[in-house]
Amino acid sequence: MAADEEKKIAAKREADEKNSKSARQLDLRQKNGPAATALLNLFSDGLKRTVLGTTDKPNTSSGINMETLFPDFAKWNAGLSQDNWKATDVISEVQDYGAVNWKGRNLDGIVVKATVKMASAERGQYKDECFLFGAVVDKEFQMVRDPYESKCNETQTSAQWAAGHELKSLWVAN
């Protein structure tokens, strides 16, 4: 009897913690959504320009230069047509956002998850490729610092980058 009671209490405690974490995360995202979205848009515009040759905004030079900051991604993108794949869309979302320590200064850090949707007429197939892009955004000097790139399944790179920059997440509740 006591064992059943302990299991119920443990299950309730776990459910409470999960609800509390979800509530904290929702609060973080509501509070920091505008700042995170502004940084996401920089990446999103650069990604669309690189992959699709367009952006959602006409005649804009906003966005970052993906080819310079993320050479592995640029190389992958350049090889698509040789493999008979054509990118049809790019969907970007904030994976993590927060404050990072850059040489004693608190700056914005962001990790963007980008899914490139592709089609191959020759194969009669669709497929998606998922990438993570992280960077320190230094608004004061108008620089994007210490970028990293990886495939979505290589989460260790993202974790190492976040730890190395002492990322204090304002997006994901721990």
Side-chain angles (χ1 to χ4, degrees), residues 20-96:
S20 172
K21 184 177 178 178
S22 295
R24 283 194 324 267
Q25 188 157 298
L26 184 63
D27 186 46
L28 282 171
R29 292 184 180 192
Q30 284 176 340
K31 209 180 297 176
N32 300 298
T37 301
L39 293 183
L40 173 65
N41 288 341
L42 280 177
F43 281 82
S44 182
D45 290 351
L47 277 163
K48 286 187 176 179
R49 191 170 27 260
T50 300
V51 175
L52 304 173
T54 62
T55 64
D56 289 337
K57 301 177 188 94
N59 301 325
T60 178
S61 63
S62 73
I64 57 175
N65 187 328
M66 297 299 289
E67 293 92 344
T68 306
L69 290 172
F70 306 107
D72 291 345
F73 176 75
K75 190 171 151 186
W76 171 86
N77 186 55
L80 279 181
S81 61
Q82 295 167 352
D83 289 339
N84 296 317
W85 287 100
K86 181 179 184 332
T88 57
D89 198 7
V90 183
I91 299 164
S92 305
E93 63 185 78
V94 176
Q95 181 83 6
D96 204 352

Side-chain angles (χ1 to χ4, degrees), residues 82-152:
Q82 295 167 352
D83 289 339
N84 296 317
W85 287 100
K86 181 179 184 332
T88 57
D89 198 7
V90 183
I91 299 164
S92 305
E93 63 185 78
V94 176
Q95 181 83 6
D96 204 352
Y97 163 78
V100 299
N101 180 5
W102 179 264
K103 300 183 180 182
R105 295 167 56 222
N106 270 341
L107 301 178
D108 289 333
I110 189 164
V111 178
V112 173
K113 177 181 177 183
T115 304
V116 179
K117 304 234 172 239
M118 299 176 291
S120 173
E122 289 78 5
R123 292 181 176 87
Q125 283 181 292
Y126 296 98
K127 80 173 181 177
D128 296 350
E129 281 287 344
C130 183
F131 299 90
L132 293 174
F133 302 102
V136 175
V137 180
D138 187 340
K139 293 177 188 160
E140 183 180 353
F141 291 101
Q142 298 181 342
M143 294 289 296
V144 175
R145 304 188 182 282
D146 203 18
Y148 88 90
E149 57 190 317
S150 70
K151 294 276 182 110
C152 286

